[in-house]
Amino acid sequence: MRIPLDTLPTFRIAAQSESFSQAARALHLTDSAVSHQIKRLEESLGVSLFERHGRSVRLSPEGRLFLGTVQTTLGALADSVQVLHQSAGSAGTMTITCSSMFGSKWLSRHVRDFVERHPHVGCNLKLVDNGRVAHEEDTDIGILFGKGPWPDHVTMLLGQVKLAPVCSAKLFSARGGIPRTILDLVDYPIIHQDDGQEWRQWLEAAGISGLSAFRKHIYCNDTGFAIDIAYHGGGITLASEELAGSYVKEGSLLRPFAITTEADGGWYVISQRRRYQEPRVQLFYQWMAPYFSSALPPEQS
């Protein structure tokens, strides 16, 4: 059986309106041309798709069944054409620059999904200090922690960062289980990514004044490094859902307390305006946003 594919759009319009005349006007054809196309389609299928009553027509039961198939098929073809056009316009390589903490704790876990969804786009990943991300001239997309604004950039806020303690169960294995109260933490190392201010803010939110009760401290200058130390049972650190959420979900890190405090800034995706015009850059924005429930639409600054 050979179905004349050129007749399917005509059939769909005629079936939806149950009028050959309306289909003719929509397609800029004569009524007889539409009638001829429908007749060719019916002959190829061996069934009557319409019940004819003088000049009026109604879909037959077979026609209603076939209409559903045609709508699905033509819709799928339209989607495929859109994907092909999108692929052709976005093919190439783009450079994505971010800090090591975001790169190792989030992007390394998820970039495979982008590549599998968009195999025509190559990714050149580059890690730099967080403060340098916005100043890298040879980058298409930057991901950084900060407050902005970044002039002449298109920015997308992924969300304000909320911090809560995370640690490994290994830390407590020799001491009878997970602490029940905040003060049960005083015998364990507290890991800092600053001079202690973030922990002081969190303890204050938990009803404890100052760090004086805590005797063991580890200071480092990278949040990813701090999370790694916690992962290996080296202490307790404050971390956001964006960076530590995957570890918590898989059970390799724990959140012993639900209290959170807001960090002074948020995670942003940024791109210079001229680079944002590239379809592959916009694809990356569209791909990344659904991972963050509080992501805002891109804005130009």
Side-chain angles (χ1 to χ4, degrees):
M1 179 189 301
R2 289 189 176 183
I3 299 175
L5 298 180
D6 61 305
T7 65
L8 297 183
T10 302
F11 166 72
R12 179 174 63 175
I13 295 174
Q16 289 172 338
S17 63
E18 291 193 316
S19 169
F20 289 180
S21 296
Q22 289 188 36
R25 287 194 293 271
L27 296 168
H28 304 288
L29 298 172
T30 63
D31 289 9
S32 61
V34 170
S35 179
H36 178 68
Q37 286 193 32
I38 299 300
K39 190 67 175 175
R40 276 202 299 135
L41 180 59
E42 289 177 325
E43 288 175 352
S44 70
L45 295 172
V47 298
S48 295
L49 299 173
F50 290 90
E51 296 173 352
R52 294 163 173 81
H53 304 281
R55 295 180 61 86
S56 64
V57 295
R58 292 182 58 185
L59 272 175
S60 67
E62 294 82 1
R64 294 190 184 281
L65 178 64
F66 189 59
L67 175 61
T69 301
V70 169
Q71 288 176 321
T72 300
T73 302
L74 293 180
L77 285 171
D79 291 343
S80 296
V81 169
Q82 183 177 6
V83 169
L84 289 173
H85 285 168
Q86 189 180 61
S87 298
S90 58
T93 300
M94 63 182 175
T95 298
I96 303 165
T97 302
C98 65
S99 65
S100 62
M101 55 183 163
F102 194 90
S104 63
K105 301 308 171 202
W106 194 91
L107 192 57
S108 64
R109 285 175 168 258
H110 297 91
V111 69
R112 174 184 172 184
D113 178 59
F114 178 80
V115 172
E116 289 184 344
R117 289 172 183 257
H118 307 289
H120 53 283
V121 180
C123 295
N124 176 27
L125 306 180
K126 185 167 68 171
L127 300 181
V128 302
D129 290 340
N130 186 76
R132 286 181 49 199
V133 172
H135 305 291
E136 292 290 303
E137 289 295 328
D138 62 343
T139 191
D140 297 292
I141 292 170
I143 307 170
L144 76 166
F145 178 83
K147 292 190 293 186
W150 294 276
D152 199 35
H153 280 74
V154 176
T155 64
M156 180 172 70
L157 175 63
L158 298 177
Q160 292 296 328
V161 172
K162 294 184 178 181
L163 302 174
V166 294
C167 55
S168 169
K170 303 173 189 175
L171 186 63
F172 312 119
S173 59
R175 302 201 182 190
I178 299 172
R180 295 174 179 267
T181 70
I182 306 297
L183 289 177
D184 289 338
L185 299 178
V186 297
D187 293 326
Y188 301 100
I190 300 297
I191 307 169
H192 305 269
Q193 302 109 54
D194 61 4
D195 61 359
Q197 181 59 27
E198 287 183 345
W199 265 109
R200 281 190 285 270
Q201 290 177 345
W202 186 86
L203 289 169
E204 183 178 348
I208 296 174
S209 179
L211 283 165
S212 58
F214 297 84
R215 296 182 290 275
K216 301 175 184 178
H217 302 271
I218 300 173
Y219 295 87
C220 61
N221 66 348
D222 183 86
T223 300
F225 189 19
I227 293 173
D228 283 342
I229 296 171
Y231 175 86
H232 291 291
I236 305 164
T237 192
L238 293 173
S240 65
E241 177 67 21
E242 289 82 2
L243 298 188
S246 296
Y247 293 88
V248 173
K249 288 177 183 176
E250 70 187 19
S252 56
L253 284 177
L254 309 174
R255 285 201 186 278
F257 304 102
I259 299 168
T260 63
T261 52
E262 282 199 1
D264 188 22
W267 284 105
Y268 286 83
V269 181
I270 68 172
S271 179
Q272 297 176 35
R273 287 184 187 178
R274 60 185 177 84
R275 294 183 184 271
Y276 183 75
Q277 302 309 312
E278 295 288 340
R280 56 183 170 271
V281 172
Q282 296 181 28
L283 274 182
F284 191 85
Y285 274 65
Q286 294 164 10
W287 165 78
M288 200 168 183
Y291 280 99
F292 300 86
S293 58
S294 55
L296 299 179
E299 294 183 347
Q300 295 194 15
S301 56

